[in-house]
Amino acid sequence: MASKNDRSAWLKGGTAQCACETALAGPDQPRRFVLLGAPGVGKGTQAELLSQNLGACQLSTGDIFRAAKSLDPCDRTPALEAALGYMKRGELVPDETVLNLIRERVGCLRCGGGFLLDGFPRTVAQAEALAQLLAGEGIKMDAVLSYDLPMEQIVSRLSGRRTCSQCKAVFHVTTKPSKVEGVCDHCSGALSIREDDRPEAIRVRMEAYHKSTAPLADYYRRKGLLVEIPAAGAPEEIYARTMTALAAKPA
Ligand code: AP5
């Protein structure tokens, strides 16, 4: 199993460097994936399993915004401050803001450990910008993992999600409950409902997904990168399904 990285370079940007639990030699063959799918389908849960098993870091754009929330307001740029407003309402953050954050973190795309992009790209304009960035760096992506689940199951995953206010670990009231209700198993932090998991914000997020993100499946299918994975079942089953689908993908 690969060493765990604290993702400082991704979460903080700028000159921040990652700390690894052991020296990161990097796998022989770094894996590079985009994870696609509706809000709450389980991208973050799969990214964690993929990261544990393949060594690549989970690079979630949502996590950058959530990390920015804990910064002193004086340390947030006006664009980041505005992004938090979009996120709270469930709307997509403007492409230019997201792309500036990605350009600042291009070192994470170059990382010898590979990458698991989670929540980026989310529009065709973002996908085109990513393609340009990767081409400029001479980096090839392995595949785009597209997870799919019926809407009623997605809503149940989202409405039962609880997140640790300190270490950001993710639980679910029925499918992954914490040992003590409302308390994180890992750091004893308080578990809370994400601001954008309120019903009004969920509705806006789903609309944004259908309008702007769902068309990316066709975009990546045309490029021969799309791997479609049904996301029903336990996380480990979906992970195994992912590995099987990847093994069957023509090179
Ligand atoms: P982001 O953080 O990316 O959120 P999201 O895409 O809405 O996805 P989620 O984190 O809600 O869900 P997930 O699919 O990761 O599911 P999870 O594994 O947690 O984005 C948030 C916001 O930031 C956006 O709305 C936007 O405002 C902004 N943003 C971010 N990136 C952007 C971009 N590129 N452009 C513009 N704006 C951007 O699972 C959900 C729950 O289900 C958990 O409780 C989990 O325990 C449970 N669960 C997971 N898998 C299973 C399973 N197999 N069985 C049972 N339960 C399961």
Side-chain angles (χ1 to χ4, degrees), residues 40 43-45 61 66 91 93 119 122 126 161 171 205 233:
K43 300 179 297 295
T45 302
T61 32
R66 281 182 286 277
E91 295 164 21
V93 174
R122 244 179 164 98
Q126 291 182 16
R161 174 164 55 191
F171 297 86
R205 285 161 72 198

Side-chain angles (χ1 to χ4, degrees), residues 72-177:
D72 187 311
C74 311
D75 292 333
R76 295 181 201 147
T77 61
L80 209 45
E81 191 67 49
L84 297 182
Y86 286 104
M87 186 173 166
K88 186 174 175 181
R89 295 188 294 275
E91 295 164 21
L92 290 187
V93 174
D95 285 340
E96 210 34 50
T97 305
V98 175
L99 291 171
N100 283 337
L101 292 172
I102 299 291
R103 287 185 198 109
E104 271 175 36
R105 289 159 174 78
V106 71
C108 293
L109 301 180
R110 277 189 221 119
C111 175
F115 60 71
L116 302 163
L117 282 169
D118 167 9
F120 174 84
R122 244 179 164 98
T123 64
V124 171
Q126 291 182 16
E128 283 170 349
L130 173 65
Q132 257 186 14
L133 262 180
L134 293 179
E137 298 288 334
I139 296 168
K140 215 169 156 275
M141 197 150 68
D142 292 295
V144 173
L145 309 174
S146 176
Y147 293 96
D148 189 37
L149 192 67
M151 192 50 69
E152 66 278 10
Q153 290 183 51
I154 289 186
V155 171
S156 136
R157 284 187 186 176
L158 278 177
S159 51
R161 174 164 55 191
R162 299 291 181 271
T163 307
C164 175
S165 49
Q166 285 181 35
C167 74
K168 310 300 174 202
V170 174
F171 297 86
H172 189 280
V173 288
T174 53
T175 62
K176 194 184 173 191

